[in-house]
Amino acid sequence: EEQADQPKAGRIGQGGQEYMSFLSLLSFGLLFVLLAHAAHETSVQRRLLTALLASGFLAALFALALVLGVPLPGIGAAVGFNPIGTANALTAFVTVCALLGCASFVVSDGSGGDPAPDGRGGLPLRVLAVGNAVLALVLLLATDFWVLWILVIAGVLVMAAFLFLQAKRFPHPQRFILPLLMLAGAVV
């Protein structure tokens, strides 16, 4: 009983409470520093962005397949399973991936330094951006949590602010249609 009454000191690494763990924060900080120094080349940034968008797309596909009753090998019939955690966490992750994909597509101007270049080189990123946007809208409709809708609205408004403030860096404003569709879905 004495231990239950005492406040817990700083956490070093407690299982199941990763968000409160010092080691988790330290490892994410080290990952940020590593990526900031190693990912200064466009090709590395493209591969990292493609990996992130693909992971969001696959996580959403797995979760939707299990909800629809499609058995996946190695996972079984766990209907509520998703590789991210809760349904809200999965929706937030896929929504952020969709917004990043939309932003990478919107800023592409056809030069070699684009995150999603024109032609076959940028096709995977463009397909994943559209796929994540569609899956994010499906998950947003399924969870219908107001905080996630605000996330979409804020993300698209930040992109729109950059579009108006840095108009020269956005040579194809018609590419802003996909984020506007996400915004329309969030507002409705």
Side-chain angles (χ1 to χ4, degrees), residues 11-12 18 20-34:
R11 300 192 192 279
I12 297 293
E18 287 79 15
M20 294 175 56
S21 171
F22 172 73
L23 291 179
S24 295
L25 292 175
L26 180 67
S27 62
F28 285 131
L30 290 174
L31 178 66
F32 174 77
V33 170
L34 175 71

Side-chain angles (χ1 to χ4, degrees), residues 91-182:
T91 305
F93 177 66
V94 175
T95 301
V96 168
C97 287
L99 291 171
L100 283 173
C102 290
S104 69
F105 180 61
V106 168
V107 299
S108 296
D109 62 357
S111 67
D114 292 337
D118 293 336
R120 291 180 351 132
L123 185 63
L125 277 171
R126 291 191 301 273
V127 168
L128 287 171
V130 171
N132 276 330
V134 169
L135 289 174
L137 286 176
V138 168
L139 290 172
L140 284 163
L141 289 171
T143 56
D144 197 25
F145 185 40
W146 67 272
V147 173
L148 298 172
W149 292 111
I150 296 296
L151 176 69
V152 173
I153 293 169
V156 174
L157 290 179
V158 166
M159 274 192 275
F162 279 112
L163 178 66
F164 290 117
L165 295 175
Q166 301 273 332
K168 295 176 188 173
R169 299 190 46 113
F170 296 92
H172 305 289
Q174 68 271 17
R175 292 183 178 177
F176 205 70
I177 290 174
L178 185 59
L180 287 178
L181 290 174
M182 290 182 69

Side-chain angles (χ1 to χ4, degrees), residues 46 58 63 67 94-95 116 164 187:
R46 267 188 213 137
L58 290 176
V67 166
V94 175
T95 301
F164 290 117
V187 170

Side-chain angles (χ1 to χ4, degrees), residues 6-107:
Q6 295 176 353
K8 295 185 178 182
R11 300 192 192 279
I12 297 293
Q14 180 181 3
Q17 300 291 326
E18 287 79 15
Y19 65 95
M20 294 175 56
S21 171
F22 172 73
L23 291 179
S24 295
L25 292 175
L26 180 67
S27 62
F28 285 131
L30 290 174
L31 178 66
F32 174 77
V33 170
L34 175 71
L35 289 177
H37 290 312
H40 60 278
E41 296 179 11
T42 305
S43 63
V44 175
Q45 292 172 356
R46 267 188 213 137
R47 287 194 301 258
L48 289 172
L49 185 60
T50 303
L52 178 68
L53 295 181
S55 66
F57 185 76
L58 290 176
L61 277 182
F62 284 158
L64 288 175
L66 289 172
V67 166
L68 295 174
V70 177
L72 297 174
I75 296 176
V79 174
F81 174 78
N82 73 64
I84 304 299
T86 65
N88 288 337
L90 173 70
T91 305
F93 177 66
V94 175
T95 301
V96 168
C97 287
L99 291 171
L100 283 173
C102 290
S104 69
F105 180 61
V106 168
V107 299

